[in-house]
Amino acid sequence: MKIAVTAANGKLGSAIIDNLLQAYAATDIVALARTPAKAEFLTKQYGIKVRAGDYDDVQQLENSLQGIDSVLLVSSMDEPAKRIGQHRNVIESAKKNGVTKIVYTSIQGSSTQTAFAPIVKSNQQTEQDIKDSGLNWVIGRNGIYIEPDVDYIDSYKVQGKIANCADEGKCGYTTHEELAVAYSQMLINAKHDTNTYHLNGESITQQQLTQYLNDRFGTTLSYRYMTVKAFKQDRIDELGEFIGTVIAGIYEQVAIGAMHNQSDFAKVVGREHMSWTEYFNN
């Protein structure tokens, strides 16, 4: 079986490829990237062939998916209105090339509440498009990555706190590495076909996350609640209108419980998701 992984130069795509190499030869894996030069490290490190994979270029996708049996479709990071069409380009190109299976990285959350809802809704539309494609499929609904909070520790130290609008809501966090293990299994094992899985670890509050960071880094951070309006403006000021609004929407979804879901990780992998105690002690 020949597997293509889209957005292969990204953290999730490259982690999935690294995990797939435990079961497949490098010649059986193809990396797709909007800018192939950014994925050259996969060729140098593993001998993986890289092909152009711009979601907006149908002809390019049709050429790059030739000879592929299964596709791992990493969700576009574009605006919701654009990503539905981009994903459809991949699906249709896959069908034209005789691809038999698509595995899609979707997202958890509410499609009707908060500023994050349009992104969730667009992902759910892609889920339906894949189900209607006539191909074998598996869908993973990812929890929120915990790595950005770790990477942001120096800024937290300066501020002396973690501040957002999640309040006391619980969030089902996950990691790129744990997701890579799950998606590799979803690609390899036919028993997962036609299933949708929530992929996350134990749900925790912002207060619990703060304590984990304090224990790991020896800090004395505290958690402070901000109103949605104040946090949104804070994020827009730093990250711009689109990303700032999205980030605020994610934390608002945490507050309303939309990111607190029972995990299917063990069903996919055969073990529980890594605990946060284990993660922060590594």
Side-chain angles (χ1 to χ4, degrees):
M1 182 172 70
K2 207 169 191 71
I3 298 173
V5 177
T6 71
N9 57 298
K11 290 182 179 179
L12 180 57
S14 59
I16 291 170
I17 286 177
D18 184 65
N19 204 272
L20 283 171
L21 285 167
Q22 298 179 30
Y24 287 89
T27 52
D28 293 326
I29 303 171
V30 173
L32 268 60
R34 180 188 294 268
T35 306
K38 293 183 178 180
E40 286 181 354
F41 69 94
L42 295 168
T43 302
K44 295 176 181 178
Q45 188 171 351
Y46 303 120
I48 300 290
K49 185 174 183 179
V50 177
R51 299 178 184 175
D54 187 334
Y55 291 169
D56 289 312
D57 193 328
V58 176
Q59 187 58 59
Q60 185 185 90
L61 289 167
E62 290 181 7
N63 293 338
S64 294
L65 290 176
Q66 291 181 13
I68 299 299
D69 299 298
S70 296
V71 174
L72 188 288
L73 172 56
V74 175
S75 185
S76 168
M77 296 297 290
D78 218 324
E79 296 179 11
K82 295 180 180 179
R83 66 172 65 193
I84 293 173
Q86 292 173 335
H87 295 160
R88 284 174 176 167
N89 289 340
V90 178
I91 295 166
E92 292 305 312
S93 297
K95 290 172 64 177
K96 287 182 179 179
N97 276 289
V99 170
T100 59
K101 180 174 179 176
I102 291 184
V103 178
Y104 176 53
T105 70
S106 191
I107 191 74
Q108 297 178 29
S110 168
S111 61
T112 60
Q113 301 181 71
T114 86
F116 191 59
I119 292 178
V120 177
K121 188 174 182 178
S122 70
N123 278 32
Q124 290 179 355
Q125 179 59 60
T126 294
E127 291 181 19
Q128 191 59 52
D129 289 342
I130 289 172
K131 293 175 182 178
D132 293 340
S133 70
L135 304 177
N136 288 331
W137 57 269
V138 194
I139 292 166
R141 291 179 175 172
N142 299 349
I144 302 302
Y145 295 124
I146 204 166
E147 290 99 334
D149 282 289
V150 176
D151 295 339
Y152 209 65
I153 189 63
D154 287 337
S155 294
Y156 288 149
K157 287 178 180 178
V158 171
Q159 298 166 11
K161 63 181 181 296
I162 294 175
N164 56 52
C165 61
D167 202 8
E168 297 181 359
K170 286 191 171 184
C171 180
Y173 285 102
T174 187
T175 74
H176 293 95
E177 297 301 325
E178 286 290 73
L179 288 178
V181 176
Y183 280 109
S184 294
Q185 290 300 313
M186 291 154 67
L187 281 162
I188 293 169
N189 293 325
K191 69 178 182 179
H192 296 306
D193 290 359
T194 67
N195 280 294
T196 299
Y197 297 115
H198 284 87
L199 302 174
N200 55 271
E202 178 187 5
S203 294
I204 57 175
T205 64
Q206 294 301 291
Q207 289 88 347
Q208 288 174 300
L209 173 62
T210 302
Q211 190 57 55
Y212 278 123
L213 289 169
N214 284 337
D215 292 343
R216 171 65 178 83
F217 294 102
T219 50
T220 56
L221 304 174
S222 60
Y223 172 70
R224 181 169 68 85
Y225 169 72
M226 298 177 69
T227 65
V228 174
K229 182 178 179 180
F231 183 60
K232 178 180 177 181
Q233 190 58 57
D234 178 80
R235 293 297 82 205
I236 289 174
D237 290 344
E238 181 173 340
L239 302 171
E241 183 76 27
F242 176 62
I243 297 299
T245 300
V246 167
I247 296 298
I250 291 174
Y251 283 97
E252 187 179 3
Q253 292 227 353
V254 173
I256 65 174
M259 296 299 184
H260 177 31
N261 299 295
Q262 182 174 345
S263 178
D264 299 308
F265 189 87
K267 294 179 183 178
V268 177
V269 176
R271 64 165 172 80
E272 294 297 328
H273 189 285
M274 177 185 289
S275 72
W276 298 122
T277 298
E278 181 181 1
Y279 173 78
F280 281 101
N281 283 342
N282 283 343

